Amino acid sequence: KSPRLPPGPVPPASPTPTGDARASSGAMAVAVAAAPPWAAAPGQRLGDAEELLSGRGTYAECGAVYAALAGEVQRCGPNDTTLEVAPNRGESGGTVPEVGAVVVVRVVRMTLERAECVIVAVGDTALAEKFRGVIRKQDVRFFEVDKVSMVECFRVGDFVRAQVLALGDIRSYVLSTALSDNLGVILARSAAGGVLEPISWHYMKCSITGEKEKRKVAKPAS
């Protein structure tokens, strides 16, 4: 019989993770899914809209909650289910339209049923971020709503003072000019290019031609 060869060296076993290594790996996972606060940039996805609510400084779109401005993300509300973004100190654009706020908008598109707008200011504070708004036919005024003609109330390019009624979809706000006499067109230009000056609740006069144009006029600020 052939002599038996002595057994060869046993290869070293692969090292198993130590408790410290496992703890380090877990810490990394926790860091990735860390609870607020954390820094966010405008448009950054913050979470799932089915699990979290959109608060100040955020908006919900396509099933997710996004940051509307740069700042620190915070949880608030019952069970910390609402996400908010607090603006960074010293940065513009921190103001966000809220329900009940008075805003200044510029009309960018007209249809028979609504005026689509871009919100340019909240109160006296100009916005750096873009927010959309819509003034529906039924929200122009309280009386004779069925007789409202949108093209006799607003025109593309008009600046309008309005109040936020509700949050709409995809970073849009539902606006009204019916809640106060102070709401309506505050600045507009005529077909001739002249500045329109208010002469009544329903008419403005061209500073160049003297021709009158119909608008839903805001009460001039005193």
Side-chain angles (χ1 to χ4, degrees), residues 191-214:
V195 174
L196 288 174
E197 302 169 349
I199 57 175
S200 73
W201 296 112
H202 306 292
Y203 286 96
M204 303 180 85
K205 184 176 69 173
C206 175
S207 60
I208 296 175
T209 65
E211 294 290 326
K212 294 188 296 183
E213 292 189 13
K214 277 195 170 183

Side-chain angles (χ1 to χ4, degrees), residues 18-122:
T18 64
D20 291 343
R22 285 193 296 267
S24 176
S25 175
M28 290 177 65
V30 171
V32 172
W38 74 80
Q44 181 177 335
R45 189 182 189 277
L46 304 179
D48 192 336
E50 293 184 358
E51 301 174 356
L52 299 165
L53 298 176
S54 171
R56 296 179 58 181
T58 69
Y59 62 97
E61 181 176 342
C62 300
V65 178
Y66 295 87
L69 48 89
E72 187 178 83
V73 182
Q74 301 172 347
R75 285 182 182 266
C76 61
N79 301 320
D80 288 339
T81 55
T82 300
L83 288 181
E84 293 188 348
V85 176
N88 294 329
R89 291 182 180 180
E91 291 193 6
S92 60
T95 303
V96 176
E98 297 181 348
V99 174
V102 175
V103 298
V104 176
V105 305
R106 180 171 57 85
V107 179
V108 295
R109 186 171 180 269
M110 295 285 304
T111 71
L112 295 177
E113 298 296 325
R114 56 201 282 163
E116 297 179 9
C117 314
V118 172
I119 301 175
V120 298
V122 176

Side-chain angles (χ1 to χ4, degrees), residues 8-20:
V10 178
S14 300
T16 57
T18 64
D20 291 343

